[in-house]
Amino acid sequence: MRKIQFFDTSLRDGEQTPGVNFNTREKVQLALQLEKWGVDVIEAGFPIASEGDFEAVEAIAKAVTKMTVAGLARCQKKDIDRAYEALKQAVDPQIHVFLATSAVHREFKLHMTKEEVLASINTHVRYAREKFAKVQFSPEDATRTDKDFLLAAVQTAIDAGATIINVPDTVGYSNPTEYGELFAYLISHITSDEKITFSSHCHDDLGMATANALAAIENGADRVEGTINGIGERAGNTALEEVALALHIRKDFYQSDTSIKLDETKRTSDLIARLSGIAVPKNKAIVGGNAYAHESGIHQDGVLKNPETYEIITPQLVGIKTNSLPLGKLSGRHAFIDKMTQLGYQFEQNESDALFKRFKELADKKKQVTEQDLLALVADQGRGSDGYELDAVQLQYVSNGHQGAVVSIKKEQETFVASAIGSGSIQAIYNSIDQIFDQQPTLLNYEITALTSGEDAQAEVHVLIECSDSHEKISGIGLDFDVLQASAKAYVQASAALKNRGVLV
Ligand code: KIV
Ligand code: ZN
C-alpha cells in the first residue's frame, strides 16, 4: 500500500479565513492535537509575516516531537532567513518556498518576466537548500499556468534542491480530471536524482477541493495539503478529514494508507471550530452534526435492521462517543483528573486547579458534565482574553422596551465598570463593553449553540466584530451556563484581542 502524507495548513492558510486569529497558546494547543490526529507535516505559519507569526512557529517547533514543522517563505532571502530562525529548534524542520507562475500573477502582481521567475526560483530554492534538508517549492496559481512553463518552473526548483513539489490550485479553478492529468504530466516529465514527493493543495471555490485532492492522489501525489473543517481563504481549502475518511472507507479503490488516527477526528474538528470561531455546518461531511443522523422513517427502519443500509461511516470511527460516562457534582478531583487523562490531557498543577474549580462550578449547575463540556472548558481556558476577565453583568428593564446593563471587567488588580442602554439585553451589554474598551466595532456575526442536549446545556457564543478603523475582523468565543454571560464573555474576548492588536500596530 502507498502511504499518503498529510500536510496540515490550518494554522497558516486556515488562519487566512476572515476573522480567524489564533494566538500562540492556541496554535500550540492546535498543533499538539494535530500531532495526536497523526498529521505528518504541520505548516505552523509564515514567520516573516509578523512578530506573532514568528513567535508561534518557534513555539510549535519547540513543542512538537513527531511531526515535521514547516514555515512559509516567499522567494526572498529575508523570508528564508526568518523561517530558518523560527524553525531551528524543530526536530524535523521544512521550508515551504513559493512564487507565482501564472501569467496573470506574473504580469499584474509580480511584474516579472518568465526568465526572471525562473532565475528567482533557482536562486532562492538553492539558498533555502543550504539551510534546510527538506525544501518544498510551490508554483502559486499552478493550475492557471501555461503547462510548459509550469514544468520549467518545477524542474528549476528540483535542480536547485527542492525535493517536494506542491501544485497549488490557488483560486479553486481546476476540476478532478484536469488536476489529476496535471500531476500525471509533471510526474512523467521531471528528471531528478533524488526522490521527489508531489503534493496537492486545493481551494474550494467551485466546491471541488476534496475531489481534486483525491484525483491528485490517484495520479501520483503522495502528499495532500489542507485544513481541518476546510477553513481558509474565501471558500476554504481541502478538508483533510474528508480526504482521510475517503482514503479509509474506499481503501479498496485508493489502495493507500495514512498515519491518521481516525478516532481523533471529531475532537480535532471541534477544537478548530471552537478556536477559529467558525462553526461546522450541520450537513458538513464527516464532522457535521447531522452526518450520522437518520431522519426519514424508511432510513431509520433500515438502520435499525442493519446500520450498513444507510451508514458507510460509524460515528465511533471518527471518535463520536455516545456511551461515555459523564461526571457529576459528586465526582472528586481524582475522577476529574482520570477523565482528563483518558481524554489525552495532562496539566500542570495550577492549570488543573483552575480547571477543577470551573468543573465544580459547572457540576453544581448541571446534572451531568459530559466530555463535550470538559473539552469546551479546556479550550476556553486555553484561549483566554488577554488578561481581561468578565467580573459581573447586571441587567435592568428601563422603559419603552429598552434594557440597561452594568458590566464590570477585571484586568489584574484593575476593575473597569460601565453602563449603557440598548434595545435588547445583548445590545445593552455590548454597548457597555464598548465603553470600557473605548471602541465602536461592527458586530458582523453572533451565533449561539447549545454544547450538549438538555435544558441544562452550556451555551457557546461566537461573535465576529470588525474594527471601525482598520476593518480588521476578530472573533471571540464565550462559554457559560448562562446565555447572557456567554455572550458577554465572547464579546470581551474579541474586544481584548482587538485592543491588543491596536497596541501592537
Ligand atoms: O493557495 C496557494 O497558492 C498557497 C500557496 C502559498 C501554497 O497557499
Ligand atoms: Zn492556499
Side-chain angles (χ1 to χ4, degrees):
M1 288 245 175
R2 284 164 70 200
K3 155 95 198 281
I4 304 299
Q5 299 170 23
F6 274 58
F7 177 113
D8 182 278
T9 181
S10 302
L11 303 186
R12 198 277 299 167
D13 224 346
E15 209 196 21
Q16 290 174 216
T17 312
V20 173
N21 300 284
F22 302 119
N23 62 34
T24 298
R25 228 174 123 175
E26 290 165 352
K27 284 188 179 176
V28 172
Q29 196 184 353
L30 285 166
L32 294 175
Q33 179 58 35
L34 287 165
E35 188 162 57
K36 244 194 234 166
W37 191 52
V39 158
D40 300 277
V41 189
I42 180 172
E43 186 159 55
F46 191 3
I48 192 93
S50 68
E51 281 303 318
D53 254 57
F54 180 91
E55 182 192 294
V57 175
E58 193 178 42
I60 291 169
K62 284 187 204 160
V64 153
T65 54
K66 296 198 263 310
M67 291 184 292
T68 302
V69 184
L72 186 67
R74 291 166 300 184
C75 269
Q76 296 198 14
K77 286 192 175 163
K78 62 176 191 231
D79 284 35
I80 298 165
D81 290 341
R82 202 74 180 130
Y84 175 75
E85 279 305 311
L87 290 166
K88 65 185 179 201
Q89 296 182 65
V91 173
D92 188 24
Q94 186 208 286
I95 191 158
H96 178 188
V97 181
F98 75 102
L99 184 63
T101 48
S102 66
V104 65
H105 277 242
R106 276 191 291 105
E107 283 166 30
F108 295 96
K109 187 181 85 175
L110 300 173
H111 307 290
M112 285 169 89
T113 63
K114 285 184 173 176
E115 291 68 33
E116 285 168 337
V117 166
L118 295 184
S120 180
I121 295 172
N122 178 41
T123 307
H124 295 101
V125 170
R126 219 166 271 284
Y127 184 69
R129 187 66 198 258
E130 282 167 22
K131 294 179 175 269
F132 289 87
K134 288 185 178 171
V135 179
Q136 164 168 326
F137 175 72
S138 286
E140 190 190 4
D141 205 16
T143 52
R144 291 194 300 165
T145 302
D146 158 67
K147 247 182 170 181
D148 292 339
F149 182 59
L150 182 64
L151 177 62
V154 165
Q155 189 62 56
T156 304
I158 292 172
D159 294 342
T163 55
I164 305 145
I165 297 294
N166 182 48
V167 184
D169 184 24
T170 304
V171 291
Y173 175 76
S174 206
N175 63 50
T177 307
E178 248 176 41
Y179 196 58
E181 280 172 7
L182 189 58
F183 276 82
Y185 170 76
L186 292 173
I187 293 170
S188 62
H189 283 77
I190 53 128
T191 53
S192 171
D193 296 336
E194 288 188 272
K195 166 156 175 41
I196 305 298
T197 300
F198 275 82
S199 166
S200 81
H201 178 113
C202 302
H203 283 265
D204 207 29
D205 299 66
L206 292 173
M208 291 191 271
T210 299
N212 284 344
L214 291 166
I217 291 170
E218 278 178 65
N219 284 279
D222 284 329
R223 181 182 276 192
V224 57
E225 290 195 12
T227 60
I228 302 296
N229 300 342
I231 61 168
E233 286 265 3
R234 308 181 311 278
N237 291 54
T238 298
L240 285 181
E241 69 280 5
E242 293 178 6
V243 179
L245 265 292
L247 294 178
H248 176 80
I249 298 290
R250 295 307 313 275
K251 204 171 253 185
D252 59 321
F253 182 79
Y254 291 107
Q255 297 287 317
S256 306
D257 264 335
T258 73
S259 301
I260 297 299
K261 312 269 177 307
L262 294 176
D263 60 356
E264 286 290 329
T265 303
K266 184 66 168 72
R267 201 178 287 172
T268 312
S269 159
D270 283 350
L271 191 60
I272 286 278
R274 183 158 293 128
L275 297 184
S276 67
I278 310 282
V280 174
K282 287 264 185 248
N283 61 337
K284 161 89 179 58
I286 318 299
V287 287
N290 289 347
Y292 306 94
H294 302 280
E295 178 68 16
S296 96
I298 295 175
H299 286 213
Q300 286 176 352
D301 178 56
V303 169
L304 287 173
K305 287 175 177 150
N306 180 348
E308 279 183 28
T309 49
Y310 287 103
E311 215 171 67
I312 59 163
I313 313 166
T314 62
Q316 291 77 10
L317 181 66
V318 296
I320 300 172
K321 298 189 188 85
T322 43
N323 59 352
S324 53
L325 281 178
L327 297 173
K329 72 174 180 182
L330 297 178
S331 310
R333 181 181 285 271
H334 187 87
F336 172 75
I337 302 276
D338 216 50
K339 189 83 191 175
M340 283 298 184
T341 313
Q342 276 173 38
L343 290 173
Y345 290 104
Q346 254 144 16
F347 298 105
E348 301 286 332
Q349 186 66 41
N350 58 343
E351 281 178 315
S352 114
D353 287 350
L355 276 170
F356 184 64
K357 186 166 168 272
R358 288 190 66 183
F359 156 71
K360 276 301 204 188
E361 284 162 8
L362 184 63
D364 269 343
K365 295 176 186 149
K366 204 170 180 290
K367 229 162 74 197
Q368 291 189 330
V369 179
T370 63
E371 281 183 11
Q372 280 281 76
D373 289 314
L374 292 177
L375 292 171
L377 275 190
V378 175
D380 196 44
Q381 189 85 356
R383 193 168 159 98
S385 292
D386 296 305
Y388 289 92
E389 206 185 314
L390 182 71
D391 180 35
V393 177
Q394 208 184 342
L395 280 161
Q396 198 178 18
Y397 179 73
V398 183
S399 63
N400 300 330
H402 280 91
Q403 294 286 343
V406 182
V407 176
S408 138
I409 293 172
K410 279 193 175 155
K411 183 168 194 211
E412 287 150 15
Q413 309 308 325
E414 266 185 284
T415 302
F416 308 89
V417 182
S419 62
I421 58 165
S423 47
S425 313
I426 305 275
Q427 201 183 51
I429 293 169
Y430 285 9
N431 287 343
S432 310
I433 298 172
D434 282 346
Q435 282 189 28
I436 292 175
F437 284 94
D438 191 19
Q439 62 178 15
Q440 278 190 316
T442 309
L443 180 64
L444 295 180
N445 195 25
Y446 172 94
E447 265 175 56
I448 180 160
T449 30
L451 209 55
T452 49
S453 55
E455 281 172 15
D456 61 356
Q458 286 194 88
E460 186 171 290
V461 172
H462 288 237
V463 293
L464 182 64
I465 62 174
E466 184 179 55
C467 175
S468 50
D469 301 330
S470 67
H471 297 290
E472 200 172 351
K473 298 184 178 79
I474 309 262
S475 63
I477 308 172
L479 182 72
D480 202 279
F481 191 71
D482 179 85
V483 171
L484 296 176
Q485 288 273 127
S487 304
K489 282 180 182 174
Y491 201 71
V492 168
Q493 191 175 77
S495 305
L498 198 59
K499 187 174 175 75
N500 213 353
R501 298 212 150 218
V503 171
L504 285 175
V505 165

